[in-house]
Amino acid sequence: MTEVITDPTPPILHGPSDKEKKYDRQLRLWAASGQQALEDAHILLLNSGSGAVGVETLKNLVLPGIGQFTIADAGVVTEADLGVNFFLDEDSLGNSRAECCVKLLQELNPDVKGHWLPLQETLTVQKVLKNDAKYTLIIYTYPIEETDLDFVQEYSIKHKVPVISVHSSGFYSYFRTYLPGNFPIVDTHPDSTATTDLRLLTPWEELSKFSSELTGDIDNLSAHEHGHLPYLVILLHFLEKWKAEHRSLPSTYKEKTAFRSLVTAGARTDNPEGGEENFDEAAAAVLKTISAPTLSSSVKAVFDYEPNELEAKSNFWIIASAVKQFYEKHKQLPLPGSVPDMKAQSTVYVRLQNIYKKKARQDVAEVLSTVRAHPGGKDVDETEVESFCKNAAFIKLIHGSEANPESIKTLTKSEAENDANAEMTMMPLSLLPIYLSLHATSHMSTASSSDILATIDQVYPDASTTPRYVEISQEVARAKGGELHNISALTGGMVAQEVIKIITKQYIPIDNTCIFDGITSRTQVLRI
Amino acid sequence: MSQPLMVSATIPGPSPAMASRWQYLDNVRRHTGPFTDPDMFDTSEAAVAQIEKMKILVIGAGGLGCEILKNLALSGFKQIHVIDMDTIDVSNLNRQFLFRQSDVGKSKAECAAKFVEKRVKGVSITPHNCKIQDKDEDFYMQFTLVICGLDSIEARRWINSTLVDLVDEENQDSLKPLIDGGTEGFKGQSRVIYPTITSCIECQLDMHAPRAAVPLCTLATIPRQPEHCIEWAHIMAWEQEKPFPKLDNDDPEHITWLYKKALARAQEFNIPGVTYSLTQGVVKNIIPAIASTNAIIAASCCNEAFKIATNTNPSLGAQENYMMYSGNDSIYTYTFKHEKKDDCPVCGNLARGLDVDPNLTLQEFIDSLAARPEAQLKKPSIRAQKTLYMQSPESLRLQTAPNLDKKIGDLVSNGDEIGVTDPSLGRVDFKYKLRFTSDFVSKDKLTTNGDAN
């Protein structure tokens, strides 16, 4: 079952394929393109410690049909493993943990291929990673030896492979994503309510013409016609009226509420309902749609970024630069072209839709011609440009992580300052002490509370005397590096979501560390 | 007790025989932590063994339920019951990891119970292949706590009102903490409820408002969206043509019929976007679901259950009681205290205010109750000082049916309290206090006056 499904409409009477049936609930989230990316991926898990969190992560990737996975693990299954890892059974005792987990994980999905590598003196992490570019993404768990960490980093840089490190112990966990270089996302899946862009303040000629055609004689329209004017036509009509009177468009909150009253007053009330639904819709849409679209900070960040020579050759940056030119010329982004549902007659609504679609296609054509003029733009697919233009207001760039030992000191300080004001600001306490305490046990999971504090003191000298740091280090020491299944299952769920987001290049991954506190049931994402 | 460090074979771990199976749990069960409540936490052998005697009820053996059963078994619980009336469908296999292709068509509760019992030695899981409404008070009374992994608001409201009803102030054991999880796509929530003491599912009902229904006239005369064409095929064309005796949402032939009808209608109105997949989604009201989100929410529920059962750390409940999770844009959680409502129709002392136009007929009022976020009652029976309408038994329904055409203002007065019952939501009365939103002049009275003249 590896065929690519390209046609979203299955032949009538045959219904969906077996694969579409099995994956129906997830295809509704990431579509066939996302599924294909998952099926092309190969995940490597470097497993260690009590060993559950990485395996729980893999479970959540095997089920939706990741192509392949490999577990490298030196562990031999012990009694303690059976108390925390669901993908082992009584028969596993004394055998390679990598092998046993792969076998029981593989049962979950016959479409997925699993491999195991029992680490030992003759098969080290260094050997596993040597010159072999077959992995799409690497997950490693703590504790890990420092030398092995270096090999992972080297592989990540050399093959441009994302890495996620995961640490789960007792009631706490964190995971950190390392993206090789910058990571741009087009298909960010914004909330549908956020995507409405009707350009009511800057209508183009065809839209204005259509609107005045419908409302030119608004007072003499029949009750049916008046009650079915689409709300965006109503708003355009009253904007014209407002402009004639005020010589400007409503811009302040006060003006907008006054404008809203003007719209509401336009409804006919001499009917059994005592009002008109479409005018209600129009009034409700005033504050949301009567405002000049501003460039979001994430789009600004994309426009301001100067890609390096290699990056500049990628389709994303070629299209981004064309869209930027478009924006500089027109002072607005390409039109996304979709029209939300509104009370209207079918034919009128469809005409309205087509006016927006036509404009969107014109904008795409303009961006496409800029792209084509670019030396590297000959082969850029039109659908890629289309999808970029449609999502232009929501594109996102996540910067790759670079090691900067100073930044953690700055962060620790600013988080401590926030905590000092937490009671006043009603903000929850920072979870950074959890990260630092767990991180202090990266290579030695049974460290004592004072060992942990001594390590943290190197970046935050006040740690040993700050009650919160002391308590959290004690809680970390209490677990002795042992995982609790619930915390690892929860963390494995979050890590799997991140892997899916990175591999499908859909939705927005974390930047770059997520810390979980299983005592207060909260997460915090920090760039560390 | 030291842990095996299994980074590479060069670091030796302790021999397997020395390590006990539950050593990681014991790290927290047998050692006090900085946040444990000293009045509640006890590291004695007897206290640690307590968890094995607790009976836990899991409602739902689907996406969340499979995860919950696994998590409970690996948290030290030994006596677990699971209740689910569903059978396994092929579209479950992308996340309900206790089921295989060969299990399709079998009972979810039975398959799930069997699998976890086999995998985790010493745990007992009792399946109940039935509806939650089939079980009586005595059944629910035996459990220490209840965890829900459901996709229906109705079932949640039923168990919620049943557990509220179960509370007897004289009997401490009658208070069953209810832990509830729910997911949609990359998002979800988990919450802990102490019935009658903290905010309950009914208090929180407006957080899960139903999707606004499309007016029938839009479907019938002015469709604009592909969904309108599908709903038209589903509600109108099917009723008119009855191509099969009864619509079965799981029968591909039936869905194909609806798809073709919807497609033809869409073409007639030039509406793009009707697909088989969308047809199925609209007709079955499909909510996207993935393994990873279920893992997060189920584990959050079980983490709270474990903390409640062991006191190893403070749990959600008395203070903060609700965690919202979203993984769409980075990761975001919001954990807060949802306040109990005095006018909660299930656990409050006061009747909830309900705005109503007295000029509506009782039938129109009843229809509107289904869509209102604070009510969401689909088959209500209504009582004021006298019975206004009863859905069953049939004799009472017939007797009260004439009231359906009467105006609200003719049946009750402004400020009157009404009791609403809906058997699918449990035995309790939902109490509402009516507030008229406009003046009401009875036509009957006008006629009477006219007659007098």
Side-chain angles (χ1 to χ4, degrees), chain A residues 169-172 475 484 487 517-519, chain B residues 28 303 306-307 312-313:
Chain A
S169 171
F171 285 96
Y172 295 146
E475 182 67 29
L484 294 178
I487 304 301
D517 177 3
I519 301 170
Chain B
V28 296
N303 180 41
F306 176 72
K307 289 187 292 180
T312 42
N313 258 324

Side-chain angles (χ1 to χ4, degrees), chain A residues 291-309:
Chain A
S291 52
T294 50
L295 218 48
S296 75
S297 57
S298 36
V299 177
K300 249 189 227 132
V302 172
F303 284 176
D304 291 347
Y305 181 74
E306 281 176 26
N308 63 34
E309 210 178 316

Side-chain angles (χ1 to χ4, degrees), chain B residues 64-133:
Chain B
L64 285 166
C66 284
E67 288 278 346
I68 291 169
L69 290 172
K70 167 192 69 124
N71 296 343
L72 292 178
L74 292 178
S75 296
F77 292 99
K78 292 265 189 287
Q79 299 187 50
I80 304 166
H81 287 239
V82 59
I83 183 163
D84 196 317
M85 61 177 291
D86 263 0
T87 54
I88 297 157
D89 180 76
V90 67
S91 65
N92 301 147
L93 302 179
N94 80 328
R95 60 198 188 283
Q96 300 177 17
F97 65 97
L98 302 175
F99 311 140
R100 304 288 171 266
Q101 186 72 41
S102 57
D103 295 324
V104 169
K106 293 183 190 162
S107 149
K108 284 188 179 177
E110 285 165 16
C111 273
K114 214 159 104 189
F115 193 102
V116 176
E117 267 191 350
K118 189 166 165 257
R119 183 63 58 86
V120 183
K121 200 167 79 177
V123 66
S124 149
I125 302 186
T126 312
H128 302 274
N129 182 15
C130 63
K131 290 202 276 201
I132 49 173
Q133 291 87 349

Side-chain angles (χ1 to χ4, degrees), chain A residues 205-216:
Chain A
E205 199 192 332
E206 199 181 351
L207 178 61
S208 301
K209 230 177 92 193
F210 177 75
S211 171
S212 41
E213 183 191 314
L214 287 183
T215 53

Side-chain angles (χ1 to χ4, degrees), chain A residues 35 108 149 221 248 298 328 333 352 365 368 375 392 394 483 499:
Chain A
Q35 187 63 28
L108 304 181
L149 253 183
L221 293 178
S248 70
S298 36
E328 279 161 359
L333 291 167
L352 201 52
L368 185 66
F394 299 94
E483 287 168 90
V499 173

Side-chain angles (χ1 to χ4, degrees), chain A residues 123-141:
Chain A
L123 182 64
T124 58
V125 169
Q126 184 183 15
K127 277 192 182 157
V128 166
L129 293 175
K130 202 169 181 195
N131 292 330
D132 198 343
K134 66 183 170 193
Y135 304 116
T136 321
L137 185 146
I138 300 175
I139 300 167
Y140 69 84
T141 63

Side-chain angles (χ1 to χ4, degrees), chain B residues 24-75:
Chain B
Y24 303 137
L25 281 180
D26 285 341
N27 287 338
V28 296
R29 290 195 297 192
R30 295 176 190 273
H31 299 94
T32 308
F35 302 105
T36 45
D37 179 348
D39 298 335
M40 304 282 285
F41 186 53
D42 178 355
T43 57
S44 71
E45 200 60 44
V48 171
Q50 199 60 34
I51 196 170
E52 301 183 1
K53 298 195 190 103
M54 293 177 182
K55 275 194 197 172
I56 309 296
L57 177 64
V58 179
I59 300 181
L64 285 166
C66 284
E67 288 278 346
I68 291 169
L69 290 172
K70 167 192 69 124
N71 296 343
L72 292 178
L74 292 178
S75 296

